[in-house]
Amino acid sequence: MLAEIEKLLAQVHTESGSDAAGQPSRQRSPPSTAHVHTGIGAIDSDLAHTPPTPARRVIELAGTAGSGKTQALLRICATAAMAPASADVVLIDADGTLDLRRLARQMRQMAVDGGATDSAAEAAAAQALQRVHVFQPATTHALVATLAMLPRYVRERRLRVRLVAIDALGGNHWIDRKEAACLQLKIKRATPWFRLQQLLVDTLLATCQRLDCLAAVAQVLVLPAFASEDERQERVFAVGGREFRDAMIPRWQAIVLRTYVLEPAVCPDGLTRVSFAMH
């Protein structure tokens, strides 16, 4: 099993955000269990009242394409990386479309909003990027391998990881279905795709438990909700007057602490603002 994971991990592109900033990586002290602030008021308020438990460590941001999921996720990553306690962040780009310059802009803007000059904000962003470790697994199999190897990666580099962020979870849904040669069986849990999803959920939870950290996940809603009663166990999300469902198995809900549905709206001032509705 370990050999198979090592082989899959070899397919994963990984680089530190510090590489993007042209800065060397630094070794850090062992992981910390301090509370993670997300920088999003609604989420921080909920976390203060209902903190993560050993079995529930995932904050889920769900929405359709263009709803602001990735921007919110980058805000959470920037807030964690720029915290006074200097937390390390693992950022996993599940569909290979993430532009790290968006994260750098978030960091610079946060520093400016805090009263820093432009040059000081640039320096603060470059320093924070050193604490962001980016992985780009090409498939869900590689994503599972990445999650499985994270504790060793963190231990060898003596990182202090408080947040594992995954962007575009579910974005490879149709590729996974095709690669798994999913059969139309009456018992869904017998399909290769279902077993892959089980492995993903269990590995994410186990990794968060070993690192004693929180996970923030941007979940893609691309599937129209079923109308038949046989599919009522699926989660249904109401977005823009339409109903969608996610690509995850029911077990996923057991590790999620909070789910927020993001929906953009154009305000009278012409700006687009994103609403966070708890699901």
Side-chain angles (χ1 to χ4, degrees), residues 121-134:
E122 192 73 30
Q127 187 177 25
L129 281 170
Q130 296 180 52
R131 297 189 285 271
V132 180
H133 304 262
V134 182

Side-chain angles (χ1 to χ4, degrees), residues 218-265:
Q219 172 80 263
V220 182
L221 301 180
V222 295
L223 307 174
F226 286 119
S228 66
E229 291 299 324
D230 293 338
E231 301 291 348
R232 285 296 97 184
Q233 77 269 19
E234 304 281 359
R235 290 191 300 171
V236 175
F237 300 82
V239 180
R242 299 178 61 190
E243 289 189 337
F244 295 86
R245 61 187 176 92
D246 62 354
M248 301 302 292
I249 62 175
R251 184 185 293 189
W252 170 253
Q253 301 174 50
I255 71 170
V256 173
L257 179 67
R258 285 283 188 273
T259 296
Y260 299 88
V261 179
L262 279 65
E263 186 171 359

Side-chain angles (χ1 to χ4, degrees), residues 4 16 18 27 31-32 40 83 102 134 146 184 214 229 251-252:
E4 293 177 0
S16 170
S18 60
Q27 287 197 344
S32 169
I40 299 174
R102 296 174 62 184
V134 182
T146 301
Q184 297 299 317
L214 183 72
E229 291 299 324
R251 184 185 293 189
W252 170 253

Side-chain angles (χ1 to χ4, degrees), residues 141 173-185 190-196:
H141 288 88
H173 172 73
W174 298 115
I175 296 176
D176 293 339
R177 288 274 188 170
K178 183 178 181 180
E179 287 185 349
C182 183
L183 301 176
Q184 297 299 317
L185 302 178
T191 66
W193 172 83
F194 195 96
R195 291 196 295 270
L196 175 61

Side-chain angles (χ1 to χ4, degrees), residues 69-85:
K69 304 180 303 299
T70 297
Q71 195 70 3
L73 188 71
L74 292 179
R75 174 73 178 189
I76 295 173
C77 291
T79 300
M82 297 187 72

Side-chain angles (χ1 to χ4, degrees), residues 95-276:
D95 66 356
T97 62
L98 184 62
D99 186 349
L100 272 181
R101 289 173 295 186
R102 296 174 62 184
L103 177 60
R105 286 195 294 268
Q106 283 259 15
M107 291 174 169
R108 285 194 293 268
Q109 188 59 51
M110 288 176 61
V112 169
D113 292 343
T117 63
D118 288 344
S119 58
E122 192 73 30
Q127 187 177 25
L129 281 170
Q130 296 180 52
R131 297 189 285 271
V132 180
H133 304 262
V134 182
F135 293 80
Q136 292 181 309
T139 65
T140 302
H141 288 88
L143 171 58
V144 172
T146 301
L147 291 170
M149 287 301 177
L150 272 183
R152 189 180 76 180
Y153 177 89
V154 169
R155 182 177 65 253
E156 290 177 348
R157 289 159 180 78
R158 297 183 61 82
L159 305 179
R160 301 173 64 243
V161 173
R162 295 180 189 167
L163 177 71
V164 173
I166 305 176
D167 185 43
L169 186 67
N172 292 326
H173 172 73
W174 298 115
I175 296 176
D176 293 339
R177 288 274 188 170
K178 183 178 181 180
E179 287 185 349
C182 183
L183 301 176
Q184 297 299 317
L185 302 178
K186 190 171 183 62
I187 303 177
K188 291 185 179 180
R189 67 177 62 90
T191 66
W193 172 83
F194 195 96
R195 291 196 295 270
L196 175 61
Q197 293 296 312
Q198 286 181 317
L199 185 59
L200 171 60
V201 172
D202 293 344
T203 305
L204 175 59
L205 178 59
T207 297
C208 289
Q209 289 174 338
R210 290 185 62 183
L211 298 180
D212 193 17
C213 69
L214 183 72
V217 175
Q219 172 80 263
V220 182
L221 301 180
V222 295
L223 307 174
F226 286 119
S228 66
E229 291 299 324
D230 293 338
E231 301 291 348
R232 285 296 97 184
Q233 77 269 19
E234 304 281 359
R235 290 191 300 171
V236 175
F237 300 82
V239 180
R242 299 178 61 190
E243 289 189 337
F244 295 86
R245 61 187 176 92
D246 62 354
M248 301 302 292
I249 62 175
R251 184 185 293 189
W252 170 253
Q253 301 174 50
I255 71 170
V256 173
L257 179 67
R258 285 283 188 273
T259 296
Y260 299 88
V261 179
L262 279 65
E263 186 171 359
V266 179
C267 300
D269 58 8
L271 298 177
T272 298
R273 291 183 171 84
V274 177
S275 63
F276 290 77

